[in-house]
Amino acid sequence: MALFAWNPKYSVGVELFDDQHKRLFSLLNQLHDGMRSGHSKTILHAVLLELNTYIEEHFSAEEAAMAFHCYSGMAAHRDEHDKLRAQVQSFLKKWEAGELTLNVEIVNFVLQWLTVHIMKTDHEYWYVLGTLSVETVLAGWT
């Protein structure tokens, strides 16, 4: 059973970004399922690796769109992205050193970060990006 179910209130008005957010929540659900099934060690490493790769793809798309459309809140938004990047890297280093196991605190951290970031920070760019087509939003993204 999924810990988190998508709700339209999480939409940021850009279908591509909504789809990417849904994928991030799917990773969160994999962490939760791994913890509940007793396969937490294997799941944690696999999900952290995928999360590390996927947030780069997602953050790059968001940041490129914000830069191209001169979004005034981009610096603060990027700072939040950088904090999650650093936290995921820290989790990976701790896992590789044998100092990290999957627990409720990690699942709650990811859930809290995603929901607060989407509901607050990502919703702030809606007035600029949410009114544009996906093609226009991503213009200039390579």
Side-chain angles (χ1 to χ4, degrees), residues 49-85:
L49 288 172
E50 188 172 347
L51 181 62
N52 189 53
T53 300
Y54 200 75
I55 62 174
E56 283 309 314
E57 179 181 326
H58 173 63
F59 290 170
S60 293
E62 275 191 349
E63 291 170 9
M66 287 185 278
F68 187 81
H69 296 286
C70 302
Y71 174 60
S72 63
M74 184 175 168
H77 200 116
R78 182 181 285 149
D79 286 346
E80 285 192 30
H81 287 174
D82 289 345
K83 288 176 187 173
L84 182 61
R85 286 176 172 116

Side-chain angles (χ1 to χ4, degrees), residues 111-127:
L111 177 61
Q112 177 72 13
W113 191 92
L114 288 174
T115 55
V116 169
H117 181 78
I118 290 170
M119 291 298 293
K120 181 184 179 300
T121 309
D122 284 351
H123 275 193
E124 290 173 358
Y125 67 56
W126 183 87
Y127 75 93

Side-chain angles (χ1 to χ4, degrees), residues 22-65:
K22 289 174 188 176
R23 179 68 188 127
L24 292 171
F25 286 116
S26 172
L27 292 173
L28 173 64
N29 284 325
Q30 288 178 41
L31 285 178
H32 181 253
D33 292 346
M35 189 173 62
R36 291 186 50 194
S37 70
H39 298 99
S40 60
K41 185 173 183 176
T42 305
I43 294 292
L44 177 59
H45 190 238
V47 170
L48 286 175
L49 288 172
E50 188 172 347
L51 181 62
N52 189 53
T53 300
Y54 200 75
I55 62 174
E56 283 309 314
E57 179 181 326
H58 173 63
F59 290 170
S60 293
E62 275 191 349
E63 291 170 9

Side-chain angles (χ1 to χ4, degrees), residues 7-21:
N7 185 312
K9 72 180 181 182
Y10 292 103
S11 176
V12 296
V14 178
E15 185 177 354
L16 174 67
F17 296 161
D18 285 346
D19 289 345
Q20 290 175 344
H21 289 152

